[in-house]
Amino acid sequence: MPDQRLVPAPVFILSPIRSGSTLLRCLLGSHPDVHAPHELHLGGLTVTVDDEFTDLAMRTLDLGREDLEHLLWDRLLHRQLTEAGKTVFAEKSPGNVFIWQRLTACWPDARYIILRRHPVAIADSIRRAGDATDLAGAAVTVDKFATALDEAAAHVPTSVSVTYEQLTAEPEATCKALCEYIGIPWEPAMLDYGRHDHGPFVYGIGDWSPQIASGRIQDATPPPADVTIPPLLKHWCERWGYPA
């Protein structure tokens, strides 16, 4: 079945929340060959078989529920890619770190971009976004996503790793490397993402801050100074090579 996919080799950005994935998808989506829409949350797009006769019909076709969901996911990507008139699909839902096994099963030839950011900066961004009351609470979320991300990074068939700090400090060099990995020519217009339509910037399907809506690559917000760093965040700083 996977060898019959309409979109055989999509690109998935795997990252924690609040790690710069919206900026990365806007830069990629500014390439003339790449369609990078808002988050699709494929993991929540499910199929239900309601009765015994439909179940019999699908089993006779040797199609289980996950097979049907994969067909739906692939058709959705193909629909959006065709409407955009482009050739490469890039998807960035942070929840993809929890369904990477499904993604590799659906698209064995998919490519993956592993995106990381300073764990304390992630936690602070979560806190400032109102999704946690303090760094300790945000650290639990960081730990959940980081654990799943590292598991995915160790097992997906092919990937390239970048950091949000690299992306903002050296956007041209970083995007050139990503273009080479994806197999598309470097396009300088990628860096001027504000000149392109990237859909709505709203809560729930990506970053919604004035910083991303500005259309300009801005310096990465550093982790807050003079704060007590929770042990969970210290662990991830050490594991990912960031100072704590």
Side-chain angles (χ1 to χ4, degrees):
M1 185 71 69
D3 61 353
Q4 301 173 10
R5 294 291 179 236
L6 298 172
V7 182
V11 175
F12 291 100
I13 300 168
L14 300 181
S15 75
I17 61 174
R18 315 302 301 165
S19 295
S21 60
T22 298
L23 173 62
L24 179 51
R25 75 99 173 165
C26 287
L27 294 172
L28 291 174
S30 297
H31 192 286
D33 294 336
V34 181
H35 180 54
H38 59 71
E39 296 169 9
L40 297 181
H41 297 286
L42 292 175
L45 189 59
T46 61
V47 170
T48 300
V49 177
D50 280 337
D51 61 69
E52 60 181 307
F53 301 112
T54 304
D55 179 62
L56 173 61
M58 294 303 101
R59 284 191 289 109
T60 302
L61 294 176
D62 198 25
L63 291 173
R65 180 181 60 81
E66 288 194 355
D67 298 314
L68 295 170
E69 289 172 355
H70 292 169
L71 288 171
L72 175 60
W73 295 357
D74 181 56
R75 179 64 183 91
L76 174 62
L77 266 59
H78 183 260
R79 175 184 182 273
Q80 299 308 114
L81 193 61
T82 301
E83 287 189 354
K86 298 190 176 186
T87 58
V88 177
F89 197 101
E91 215 288 308
K92 57 84 59 182
S93 301
N96 285 339
V97 298
F98 303 113
I99 62 166
W100 65 266
Q101 297 97 329
R102 294 284 306 275
L103 298 179
T104 59
C106 182
W107 292 284
D109 295 325
R111 284 77 57 83
Y112 298 89
I113 299 172
I114 309 300
L115 176 64
R116 296 184 175 91
R117 183 185 183 185
H118 195 302
V120 181
I122 298 174
D124 184 54
S125 183
I126 293 171
R127 179 192 60 79
R128 289 186 288 106
D131 291 328
T133 57
D134 54 25
L135 284 183
V140 176
T141 300
V142 174
D143 181 62
K144 180 175 70 171
F145 275 91
T147 299
L149 177 62
D150 274 14
E151 180 186 18
H155 291 92
V156 293
T158 177
S159 68
V160 62
S161 294
V162 300
T163 69
Y164 180 50
E165 292 81 7
Q166 289 173 330
L167 185 63
T168 54
E170 301 176 344
E172 182 173 332
T174 304
C175 287
K176 281 183 176 179
L178 292 176
C179 286
E180 182 177 1
Y181 170 70
I182 295 170
I184 54 179
W186 157 243
E187 175 54 63
M190 293 173 66
L191 303 184
D192 194 8
Y193 76 87
R195 290 183 175 271
H196 305 266
D197 180 13
H198 299 289
F201 296 119
V202 296
Y203 180 86
I205 52 174
D207 190 8
W208 66 99
S209 68
Q211 184 168 331
I212 192 67
S214 72
R216 296 181 293 106
I217 301 171
Q218 301 183 36
D219 292 340
T221 302
D226 302 322
V227 296
T228 301
I229 300 176
L232 272 178
L233 295 182
K234 288 185 177 181
H235 163 76
W236 286 107
C237 287
E238 180 178 349
R239 184 173 175 87
W240 287 355
Y242 285 97

